[in-house]
Amino acid sequence: MVLRSGLIVALLALASPGFPQDRVLVVTTTTDLRSLTEAVGGDRVVAASLVPPNMDAEEYQPKPQDVLRLRQARLLVRVGLDYDLWVDRLLAQAGKPAISRGGPAYVDASFAITVLELRGMSVGPGDGHAHGSGNPHYWLDPKNAEIITANILEALARIDPANAAQYEANRQAFLARLNSKLAEWEIKLSALKNMPIVAYHNSWPYFARRFRLDFIDFIEIKPGVPPSPSHLAGIVRSMRERGTPIDVREPHEPERDVAFVANKAGAKVVTLAASVGALPETDDYISLFEVNIEALISAAARR
Ligand SMILES: [Zn+2]
């Protein structure tokens, strides 16, 4: 409910006397983009995410009030890469060209990101695959925050040029903090080098590439398709063969299948947050990584 109350606070603030009317109300599709928008915007922006924390953005069912939120927004920031396709319909209903595709206040945060697991055009719709044009979980490489925040900065500077220098300074300060954390995280996670990991959903290729982790298999048959008994049996076999100690689950994913394979293969279940707010203490982009990395390190140490 962080999002809901956050948005209400934002709207009340806009309506109340004394609120600087020139603060930029930004709507993002996800909590990760909300946090990165706040990092760039500082106290000049009020940001709210359409998808609440701990809800699967790939399966999000928009609410009627989401259209109203978009009508009030001066800037829209989305993940893109078919991750949040549902926002296109909302944008059509909101009828605000500025925040719609091609508009000056529309940010597709995936612009200039090097996409992993890129898929060709031969893959048609209807195969139950949630990762349409490539793996969309690119914010889970902290280095990609440089590109994401550059995309946000460009749009904020365009719609609020008077504060462009402040936005750039905010972004630089944030990236300096993030980069010093990144060096720490790389050292910590070197303990997990070559350790095979299984996850329920394929949210982790960007994270894995940055930190040299080895996700060998996924419990879903493909993204968005739950496992069959024979698929689960195959996962258990390959986990045993490789001596896989860690089985990763996100809080919104079913516990049963993950617990089953972990139990059969003698692995530990580690719950990780793929988005800000999905676990306690993951209140912003940097703490998201802090919490996940601590969880992985402590599971690896206990094996
Ligand atoms: Zn996904």
Side-chain angles (χ1 to χ4, degrees):
M1 287 292 88
V2 173
L3 158 110
R4 193 65 74 73
S5 58
L7 188 84
I8 289 165
V9 167
L11 296 180
L12 285 176
L14 280 175
S16 69
F19 181 83
Q21 293 302 316
D22 56 345
R23 271 178 88 174
V24 180
L25 181 59
V26 183
V27 167
T28 65
T29 54
T30 66
T31 51
D32 311 287
L33 295 178
R34 184 200 71 212
S35 180
L36 291 171
T37 299
E38 287 167 348
V40 179
D43 58 10
R44 305 297 315 156
V45 310
V46 180
S49 161
L50 292 175
V51 180
N54 198 15
M55 202 179 256
D56 185 358
E58 282 164 302
E59 301 287 333
Y60 181 63
Q61 305 286 332
K63 314 267 178 298
Q65 64 264 32
D66 290 341
V67 176
L68 302 177
R69 293 170 180 179
L70 285 173
R71 287 202 179 123
Q72 282 162 325
R74 280 181 61 199
L75 186 69
L76 169 80
V77 188
R78 76 182 302 178
V79 172
L81 296 178
D82 299 346
Y83 186 74
D84 44 17
L85 278 174
W86 43 264
V87 85
D88 288 312
R89 187 160 47 88
L90 291 174
L91 285 168
Q93 288 168 4
K96 266 185 89 170
I99 60 163
S100 300
R101 200 181 288 270
Y106 170 91
V107 180
D108 180 334
S110 72
F111 178 74
I113 293 281
T114 302
V115 178
L116 300 180
E117 300 168 2
L118 207 57
R119 288 157 68 89
M121 295 307 287
S122 60
V123 179
D127 70 343
H129 196 289
H131 294 173
S133 50
N135 193 295
H137 300 270
Y138 58 87
W139 65 91
L140 289 169
D141 175 354
K143 265 283 172 200
N144 278 341
E146 286 184 21
I147 298 173
I148 300 168
T149 54
N151 290 332
I152 294 168
L153 170 70
E154 197 188 323
L156 273 176
R158 194 161 48 227
I159 62 167
D160 184 21
N163 291 300
Q166 185 60 54
Y167 295 138
E168 176 61 29
N170 293 346
R171 174 173 176 263
Q172 291 303 336
F174 169 74
L175 291 178
R177 224 178 104 223
L178 181 65
N179 280 328
S180 78
K181 281 287 175 194
L182 180 57
E184 247 176 60
W185 297 333
E186 279 172 337
I187 293 165
K188 284 186 174 173
L189 281 177
S190 63
L192 277 77
K193 200 163 183 251
N194 300 324
M195 190 180 286
I197 302 173
V198 161
Y200 185 84
H201 180 78
N202 185 11
S203 297
W204 308 100
Y206 297 88
F207 183 75
R209 188 185 57 159
R210 176 60 50 201
F211 296 110
R212 299 165 196 277
L213 304 177
D214 189 9
F215 282 76
I216 59 164
D217 222 332
F218 303 100
I219 292 175
E220 284 183 328
I221 292 173
K222 46 190 172 179
V225 182
S228 61
S230 67
H231 184 73
L232 288 176
I235 299 274
V236 170
R237 256 195 319 275
S238 80
M239 284 178 76
R240 282 181 179 154
E241 276 163 20
R242 298 280 307 269
T244 306
I246 290 178
D247 192 355
V248 167
R249 168 182 169 264
E250 295 169 44
H252 64 80
E253 291 168 352
E255 206 159 1
R256 195 192 55 182
D257 297 328
V258 182
F260 173 79
V261 297
N263 186 36
K264 292 277 181 197
K268 294 213 150 43
V269 175
V270 178
T271 304
L272 299 185
S275 276
V276 166
L279 283 174
E281 316 284 313
T282 59
D283 302 323
D284 62 23
Y285 187 75
I286 289 179
S287 60
L288 170 70
F289 291 96
E290 296 270 63
V291 167
N292 286 340
I293 289 164
E294 285 310 319
L296 282 169
I297 304 284
S298 87
R302 280 186 283 117
R303 88 200 149 100

